[in-house]
Amino acid sequence: MRWFPGSRSAEVLPSPNIWYYQQAYEVENRAQDVEGEIWRVLREECDWAGRDVLDLGCGDGFHLPYFARDARSVLGVEPHAPLARDAAKRVAELPGTEVRQGRAQRLPAEDASVDVVHARTAYFFGPGCEPGLREAERVLRPGGSILIVDLDVASEPYGGWMRADLPHYDPAAVERFFEAQGFGRRRVAARWRFADAAAMESVLKIEFSAKTAERAIAEVRRLNTGGGEMTLPVGYRVHARVKPTGLVVPGHSAGPEPSSVSSSSTSPRIV
């Protein structure tokens, strides 16, 4: 989930963490949201039981088995071929679950073929993500939902470390963008839990610059003086939008027109 500025014209920007540090990212995935607060909010926004789910930017498929527990079908979409192959291996024995290599701007799915598009810290980070929003709208059935989970950069302490690495990023501008696109927003207070200090350090070192990671590690150690397991509060935002069920003119998105919200920030990418 490390943020970095990149070319707005690039269709796929390499993730600086999971693409290169997949084992450490697995540790991070297992540490995140140990109390299930994000999952609770997502279900309140759109229960996917018995429905068809597309997980966009699924990485090596960590979240696919959770959806597969009670969804009718699950499709993981991942642009990076090695991760897509590992995701396919992870879900090989799960009925109704598959992985396709593809990108947000050109989803490998038919029109109106899924009920839920889920993206967690992948692609949708404010101005510049409109092509992916249009594609999500295309593959959703009327009444379906797009659920976007990103980090709350205004939440401490994790948000402060992110702002240190991205001093020009404007969290409020990103929130205004999603509001203009017709999304609701819910803030989620989650908790990460690591087995020990070594696990915590391995994760923070792939998420931040060396200087910021050093600061973050020191602060987490101060928060956990007893040794053993280490916990860390991390804030998230869940953006949700429902595709209208009324008449849509062919060739036009059911969502709002592209936002006029502008920001001096470079739109970051988190994968």
Side-chain angles (χ1 to χ4, degrees):
M1 288 178 295
R2 180 171 163 189
W3 296 39
F4 65 102
S7 169
R8 294 293 291 275
S9 62
E11 287 207 341
V12 178
L13 296 175
S15 166
N17 40 46
I18 192 172
W19 280 33
Y20 308 111
Y21 306 100
Q22 191 173 342
Q23 289 184 334
Y25 203 81
E26 181 77 8
V27 173
E28 178 172 335
N29 270 329
R30 294 187 182 281
Q32 289 183 42
D33 191 27
V34 290
E35 285 136 0
E37 283 300 295
I38 296 173
W39 289 114
R40 179 184 63 80
V41 170
L42 289 174
R43 279 202 185 268
E44 289 177 356
E45 292 296 327
C46 179
D47 191 349
W48 52 85
R51 308 178 79 185
D52 300 310
V53 176
L54 188 157
D55 187 14
L56 197 163
C58 69
D60 61 4
F62 184 83
H63 297 113
L64 300 181
Y66 190 97
F67 283 115
R69 293 177 190 175
D70 50 5
R72 176 168 54 192
S73 72
V74 180
L75 170 61
V77 175
E78 168 56 42
H80 190 45
L83 292 176
R85 287 195 295 268
D86 286 346
K89 292 177 184 176
R90 192 192 289 264
V91 301
E93 304 301 321
L94 295 179
T97 305
E98 66 171 311
V99 175
R100 299 174 189 168
Q101 187 178 353
R103 58 194 65 179
Q105 305 92 327
R106 301 176 187 175
L107 289 174
E110 299 296 323
D111 293 358
S113 58
V114 300
D115 302 296
V116 181
V117 173
H118 166 267
R120 188 171 306 204
T121 59
Y123 183 82
F124 295 107
F125 310 110
C129 75
E130 293 90 341
L133 289 174
R134 289 192 292 271
E135 273 291 273
E137 198 79 8
R138 176 184 67 81
V139 303
L140 278 173
R141 297 183 179 112
S145 296
I146 177 170
L147 305 174
I148 297 171
V149 182
D150 70 356
L151 286 153
D152 185 353
V153 190
S155 175
E156 301 295 342
Y158 201 96
W161 306 331
M162 294 177 71
R163 295 194 304 274
D165 275 351
L166 278 178
H168 301 297
Y169 177 68
D170 185 348
V174 172
E175 293 187 356
R176 290 194 298 271
F177 168 84
F178 280 112
E179 288 171 1
Q181 293 288 330
F183 284 85
R185 180 182 67 251
R186 294 178 64 178
R187 299 189 188 278
V188 181
R191 184 169 297 276
W192 293 10
R193 182 165 58 225
F194 300 96
D196 51 36
M200 175 270 294
E201 292 185 13
S202 72
V203 167
L204 296 184
K205 285 178 179 178
I206 70 169
E207 289 299 335
F208 301 107
S209 66
K211 180 179 179 181
T212 300
E214 182 180 4
R215 167 191 160 190
I217 289 167
E219 291 184 24
V220 174
R221 285 184 173 275
R222 285 196 292 272
L223 290 172
N224 296 267
T225 57
E229 283 189 346
M230 294 202 162
T231 63
L232 168 64
V234 180
Y236 290 83
R237 298 174 295 196
V238 172
H239 308 280
R241 188 175 81 188
V242 177
K243 182 173 181 175
T245 57
L247 177 66
V248 178
V249 177
H252 293 263
S253 169
E257 292 300 313
S259 170
S260 61
V261 173
S262 62
S263 170
S264 60
S265 304
T266 300
S267 179
R269 292 291 181 266
I270 317 174
V271 184

